[in-house]
Amino acid sequence: MITVFGSINMDLIATTERLPKPGETVAGNGFATAAGGKGANQALAARRAGRYVHMAGAVGKDSFAADALSLLDEAGTDLSLVRHVDGPTGTALILVGGDGENMIAVVPGANGLVTPDDADAAVGGMQEGDILMLQLEVPTAAVERALSTARAKGVTSILNLAPLIPDAPRLGRLADIVIANETEFERLAGQDGMDAQAREAALTRLHAETGQTLIVTLGGDGVVAIRDGAMARAKGLEIEPVDTVGAGDTFCGYFAASLDEGLDFASALRRAAVAGSLACLKSGAQPSIPSGEDVAARI
């Protein structure tokens, strides 16, 4: 079983020919809304990969709440651990440029009201060998409680170090598996501007210190990781990206699902990388997450 403890948002997405510079206004050429939030995205990815998934978090008592949960509900995700709290549902304001790159501002809303008690509820029913997936869009006290409780129960924890908050390096040490992009990994390692050689050296050093499985996503260059003393790499697909929003979350969800299914580490990385590539071919975070059948066909 997989439990995802994290954020649930409504994404408000505007597309432009190019992203604006600071202080600049540019004309938009499209607008859409889509369910999002890193927690919800990863839960939906794991569910579409074919695994049984609990989503734990909070939404507001507003008009966005039902829409923010709609795709999770349709996919058969267990939503019994989602609290409905006073105030607004979390929102993300997203600008997507013509090259597929994006800029995002996140307003926490209900996500900011997630508590250590919610963490206890999320992890309380889990058993040794289950998988707990977390991100950093809910309060750090709740994330820390969930990680420490998971370790005490023998639950495998996967922490995606996003968004990059000041506590990320400290919280990263509490997880069994850490997934980070290049910038996030540099913060974790305390070293800026790494090339490939420096990155692998830092992976080796941190792995020797902590024993953790460490995974660094590299966008179009795939992924590099270390587990049980061995370096591993995987490639996604050669694509022309339409929208990269949600690609990292798709990778995380498919990776967790692959481990839960019993795939070996290398196969899990490859499957997750392919899924992340496919997520770049459509707009929106959750609408772009591919089905397990689509991923299997491309592999």
Side-chain angles (χ1 to χ4, degrees):
M1 182 183 72
I2 298 171
T3 296
V4 180
F5 181 56
S7 57
I8 304 165
N9 285 342
M10 199 66 202
D11 291 349
L12 311 178
I13 307 160
T15 56
T16 62
E17 183 176 338
R18 64 175 178 82
L19 296 177
K21 299 175 182 177
E24 182 184 21
T25 299
V26 297
N29 52 36
F31 176 77
T33 61
K38 296 191 72 62
N41 296 346
Q42 293 177 17
L44 184 60
R47 181 68 190 134
R48 286 186 177 167
R51 308 311 294 169
Y52 185 70
V53 180
H54 286 274
M55 178 71 225
V59 294
K61 296 178 180 177
D62 60 1
S63 59
F64 282 156
D67 288 342
L69 295 171
S70 60
L71 291 180
L72 286 169
D73 191 32
E74 289 173 14
T77 311
D78 188 310
L79 301 177
S80 61
L81 295 172
V82 176
R83 279 200 304 131
H84 292 252
V85 302
D86 291 333
T89 299
T91 55
L93 311 176
I94 303 171
L95 282 178
V96 181
D99 59 359
E101 289 300 317
N102 61 75
M103 299 170 63
I104 305 174
V106 177
V107 182
N111 298 313
L113 301 178
V114 172
T115 68
D117 287 343
D118 293 315
D120 291 340
V123 186
M126 301 184 75
Q127 300 177 358
E128 185 174 353
D130 289 341
I131 293 175
L132 175 69
M133 174 163 282
L134 310 100
Q135 320 77 34
L136 299 174
E137 284 186 333
V138 297
T140 56
V143 173
E144 185 168 2
R145 176 75 68 83
L147 285 167
S148 60
T149 304
R151 177 161 292 180
K153 291 173 68 75
V155 170
T156 299
S157 59
I158 304 175
L159 177 62
N160 178 209
L161 286 187
L164 192 55
I165 64 173
D167 275 337
R170 180 179 65 84
L171 293 170
R173 295 290 182 121
L174 304 178
D176 297 309
I177 301 170
V178 175
I179 301 176
N181 65 21
E182 296 166 85
T183 302
E184 293 153 0
F185 180 70
E186 288 179 359
R187 174 72 65 82
L188 181 67
Q191 183 178 344
D192 294 331
M194 293 184 187
D195 58 16
Q197 184 176 358
R199 186 181 303 117
E200 292 191 14
L203 279 167
T204 301
R205 173 177 57 82
L206 288 175
H207 180 64
E209 291 176 4
T210 67
Q212 294 169 298
T213 296
L214 303 170
I215 301 170
V216 184
T217 57
L218 305 171
D221 291 328
V223 57
V224 60
I226 188 165
R227 182 180 178 92
D228 295 333
M231 203 73 68
R233 300 170 185 79
K235 282 281 193 178
L237 303 172
E238 295 292 333
I239 60 165
E240 290 293 330
V242 173
D243 179 2
T244 59
V245 171
D249 293 333
T250 298
F251 176 93
C252 291
Y254 262 84
F255 176 76
S258 299
L259 291 188
D260 192 53
E261 191 175 324
L263 270 65
D264 64 81
F265 186 62
S267 298
L269 288 179
R270 169 63 175 164
R271 185 187 188 205
V274 169
S277 297
L278 292 175
C280 297
L281 299 179
K282 295 180 182 178
S283 297
Q286 291 186 19
S288 70
I289 297 171
S291 68
E293 292 80 5
D294 287 344
V295 174
R298 294 303 291 266
I299 290 176

